[in-house]
Amino acid sequence: MHSKILTLLVCLLTCASAFCQSNDYASLARNGIKALEQDSLSRAEALFLQAIDQKPTDTASATLYQYIGQIRVRQRRYDEAMMAFKYGLQITPASEELLMDKASLNIQTGNDDLAMNDLNDILTLNPNHAEALFFRAYLYASQRLNAKARSDYERLVTLQPQNRQARLGLAILCDNDKRPQEAMEHIDILLRYWPNDAAVYAIRGGMYQKRRQYEQALSDMNHAIELDPKNPDFFISRALLYKDFRKTSLATADFRKAIELGASAEECASMMLEADDNAKNK
């Protein structure tokens, strides 16, 4: 009888232990998320790691590894962040979210070839993954693989006609690819969706400037500054335009304004000298 009671007690304690462990895992994960929401990054990471120790191969632990990786990215602990993403992918190799975080970190750290592998993996799993399409197009464009970049951008704007970044990328790609009419068509679409987008006017102004359509360029750059008067980049763009038609005093005033708004004085001085050299060679 005593033996049966002892056996029953051991079973009950084992069950209770398993129940507590399960509760501990959920509690640790939940408290980690709360800490993350409160920006207590180190505490959140510690809680997530404690939870993972209890269930190292659980599918939910892959998500915790993803949170840990994101924390480490924010803390610029890039190698450790990459390890966290890889650990998560060992549990759930087909996680689009983890692959996307890994790809983004590879882009951020200059590992474009590794990022391309990640993006290809995502798009094999999901050919319509918008973020992966955008970043792969961006990488293709940076490698001057314009046909491949165009294909991804066009697929993306077909899926999401109001995707601003994709439209901008496609417009700039068309302009660089000497397809000015298509570039302007995409700019026109952007301005229909976002008529007060200062950046779009500045980009179109730059396109007009390349074609030496200076009046249209100045009109667009003026409008960009009216819409966003605290953006130093717009004053730099207009300064370079003024340099193109030799309005030196206006260019200098815009460079000074850009510096007031936070632009690097050294970079502005370098751009002024480069613009002067270009003007001499025209």
Side-chain angles (χ1 to χ4, degrees), residues 158-258:
T158 299
L159 293 168
Q160 298 178 353
Q162 294 189 45
N163 187 309
R164 177 182 177 276
Q165 291 300 106
R167 286 270 180 207
L168 277 174
L170 195 50
I172 293 167
L173 182 68
C174 288
D175 193 60
N176 292 339
D177 215 17
K178 297 182 179 179
R179 301 169 78 152
Q181 185 174 347
E182 285 183 56
M184 286 300 179
E185 286 171 1
H186 287 293
I187 291 289
D188 289 343
I189 292 169
L190 281 161
L191 290 174
R192 282 206 299 272
Y193 287 132
W194 298 281
N196 295 316
D197 191 324
V200 178
Y201 284 102
I203 289 167
R204 188 172 69 177
M207 291 178 181
Y208 281 133
Q209 183 178 357
K210 282 170 65 177
R211 295 167 200 145
R212 299 187 180 185
Q213 296 175 266
Y214 293 131
E215 288 186 12
Q216 294 96 319
L218 183 58
S219 175
D220 273 351
M221 289 183 185
N222 286 341
H223 196 41
I225 289 171
E226 287 170 11
L227 290 167
D228 188 0
K230 294 186 178 180
N231 190 318
D233 292 337
F234 298 159
F235 284 95
I236 290 171
S237 294
R238 192 172 67 178
L240 293 172
L241 175 62
Y242 281 139
K243 280 283 188 183
D244 260 9
F245 44 86
R246 293 178 169 78
K247 293 192 175 183
T248 305
S249 61
L250 291 173
T252 301
D254 271 357
F255 275 125
R256 285 176 178 162
K257 183 64 177 177

Side-chain angles (χ1 to χ4, degrees), residues 113-131:
D113 290 342
L114 294 176
M116 185 67 80
N117 292 337
D118 294 329
L119 296 169
N120 287 337
D121 287 344
I122 295 168
L123 290 164
T124 298
L125 293 165
N126 177 7
N128 294 332
H129 193 288
E131 194 175 5

